[in-house]
Amino acid sequence: MANLDSDGVPSPRKLEGKYKAMVVCWFLGLGTHVSWNSMLTIGDYYYNLFPSYHPARVLTLVYQPFALGTMLILLYNEAKIDTRKRNLMGYIIFFLSTLGLLVLDLGSSGKGGIGNYIGICIFVAAFGVANAHVQGGMAGDLSFMLPEFSFFAGTAASGALTSGLRMMTKAAFNKSNNGLRKGVMLFLAISTFFQFLCIFLYAFIFGQLPIVKYYRIKAASEGSITVSADLAAAGIHIEETASNDIAKHERLSNKQLLYQNLDYGLDLYLIYVLTLSIFPGYPVVLVAMYNMLDLIGQYTPLINSIKLESRKGLLIASLSRFLLIPAFYFTAKYGNQGWMILLVSFLGLTNGHLTVCVLTTDPKGYKAPE
């Protein structure tokens, strides 16, 4: 049992483990996107297997509805959902689905065909379900903690990591079609390992860190019941904290919260509509450039002079990125490879920078349940 003060919150001297929490969050963020980024990065392999089915575009269309639909269901029931079960379920689905892709390819000996393609689509749909569980659950869990907990930097790092691994495996194995397949198998095996690592880190390490316990007890004292299982796993029962009288804590409704933060939601929508309309389907080198600059962009808001915090400024910046559409069109038609690399890099840099600016500016000033 943690030492609690009169408000049911641990003493500040007990807040240890900040840097460990930052590292763990980074890996948990990496696990959130490593499976989907793996699919995007090995798109060339699937184009060889399924040249008539346009896998890069089709798999994106399969992934997104399942991610959005599951997110809406979880949002509707958010106050009743056990955050620990939600996050663990998401990472387990990620692990099983990535392992399933590996087993499917091994079982079919790398052959194409509509049956194998449907199987891949099913696993990609599972990625969408898992992402809705984990990304929403972790973002909500960390929103009442510290912005230094670099979860979203980890999501960006997953893109850079998968691109780097893909280029290495292509260089090592790309002497024949069989060599290409071996590289993809190694690539998927590494991705599966990272998913298993995330299960272990969330289940046994993250919730045991003193600083994480502190913020979860604080959330419980403000009326949050979704952290109870995580606290119980850490040996703390909310009945023994200041959370007994939850009824006295009032919170804004979801409708009120949506209205107050509508512009932030629009910012994120505009950022990713633009990015996803351009990004899928590029060669490995351009994908790697995008992912590397996206990772760098996740850290540029640490420079206060270029961090955007104005709500109007964030909206203008998000809208201005749509000028990249004609830029990409004319570059593809008249420009050379250097200009295309520059545009893809700028796309990644602005995607990472604006995402972090939005998510670290909002939410602020809310209670844990909100």
Side-chain angles (χ1 to χ4, degrees):
M1 178 66 68
N3 294 327
L4 307 180
D5 62 18
S6 58
D7 296 320
V9 179
S11 169
R13 67 177 180 274
K14 298 294 182 182
L15 298 188
E16 303 167 354
K18 175 182 175 181
Y19 294 106
K20 289 181 182 178
M22 290 171 64
V23 173
V24 171
C25 284
W26 191 89
F27 276 103
L28 292 175
L30 184 146
T32 304
H33 277 181
V34 72
S35 294
W36 176 236
N37 279 325
S38 297
M39 296 300 299
L40 294 178
T41 307
I42 60 176
D44 57 333
Y45 173 69
Y46 285 128
Y47 266 113
N48 287 338
L49 292 183
F50 312 105
S52 302
Y53 299 144
H54 308 288
R57 299 291 178 180
V58 171
L59 294 179
T60 301
L61 293 174
V62 171
Y63 173 89
Q64 294 296 344
F66 280 91
L68 179 60
T70 306
M71 183 72 77
L72 291 174
I73 293 170
L74 292 170
L75 174 63
Y76 182 77
N77 297 285
E78 51 83 23
K80 308 171 189 175
I81 295 174
D82 184 321
T83 304
R84 181 176 177 82
K85 291 180 180 177
R86 171 180 176 163
N87 289 333
L88 282 175
M89 182 179 294
Y91 283 120
I92 290 170
I93 294 172
F94 270 134
F95 169 73
L96 293 176
S97 301
T98 311
L99 181 63
L101 283 174
L102 184 61
V103 172
L104 179 65
D105 200 277
L106 288 171
S108 64
S109 300
K111 295 178 182 178
I114 187 65
N116 289 339
Y117 190 67
I118 291 173
I120 291 170
C121 288
I122 291 172
F123 288 127
V124 168
F127 288 164
V129 173
N131 181 271
H133 278 76
V134 171
Q135 185 155 312
M138 286 299 301
D141 207 12
L142 296 174
S143 65
F144 53 78
M145 298 187 193
L146 294 177
E148 291 91 337
F149 288 0
S150 47
F151 176 78
F152 288 100
T155 65
S158 69
L161 175 68
T162 52
S163 294
L165 287 173
R166 183 70 182 112
M167 288 195 291
M168 286 190 291
T169 54
K170 284 192 74 172
F173 296 103
N174 200 24
K175 296 179 180 178
S176 64
N177 288 337
N178 189 49
L180 178 63
R181 179 169 170 263
K182 288 180 180 178
V184 169
M185 293 301 96
L186 176 60
F187 182 78
L188 288 175
I190 294 171
S191 299
T192 304
F193 166 75
F194 278 116
Q195 298 296 354
F196 180 78
L197 178 64
C198 287
I199 296 172
F200 175 80
L201 289 174
Y202 188 86
F204 301 108
I205 304 297
F206 184 62
Q208 300 294 331
L209 298 173
I211 192 168
V212 176
K213 292 180 185 179
Y214 165 77
Y215 281 110
R216 283 178 170 163
I217 293 173
K218 187 172 185 292
S221 73
E222 294 176 358
S224 177
I225 61 174
T226 60
V227 297
S228 57
D230 279 306
L231 287 173
I236 301 170
H237 300 282
I238 59 171
E239 291 82 5
E240 299 176 34
T241 72
S243 298
N244 285 323
D245 192 10
I246 292 174
K248 71 180 180 182
H249 298 282
E250 295 183 358
R251 55 154 286 183
L252 298 173
S253 68
N254 286 352
K255 185 176 181 180
Q256 291 172 311
L257 289 168
L258 176 63
Y259 179 77
Q260 290 184 8
N261 296 279
L262 196 59
D263 58 324
Y264 289 120
L266 181 61
D267 291 338
L268 289 176
Y269 177 78
L270 293 173
I271 290 167
Y272 284 93
V273 161
L274 187 278
T275 297
L276 293 174
S277 67
I278 293 174
F279 175 59
Y282 276 106
V284 173
V285 174
L286 289 180
V287 171
M289 288 301 300
Y290 168 86
N291 285 326
M292 184 58 67
L293 269 295
D294 182 39
L295 175 59
I296 293 172
Q298 298 272 347
Y299 287 97
T300 52
L302 292 173
I303 306 172
N304 290 328
S305 59
I306 60 173
K307 182 181 180 181
L308 272 175
E309 294 185 306
S310 162
R311 300 180 82 142
K312 185 181 293 185
L314 285 168
L315 185 59
I316 291 172
S318 301
L319 284 168
S320 66
R321 292 177 79 239
F322 280 81
L323 294 172
L324 288 171
I325 293 177
F328 270 95
Y329 172 79
F330 287 111
T331 300
K333 195 168 184 178
Y334 304 111
N336 56 32
Q337 189 176 16
W339 284 107
M340 184 59 74
I341 291 174
L342 178 64
L343 279 179
V344 169
S345 300
F346 185 75
L347 179 71
L349 184 68
T350 55
N351 186 84
H353 182 82
L354 290 176
T355 297
V356 170
C357 286
V358 171
L359 291 173
T360 55
T361 302
D362 166 63
K364 286 180 180 176
Y366 292 112
K367 297 176 183 177
E370 295 166 338

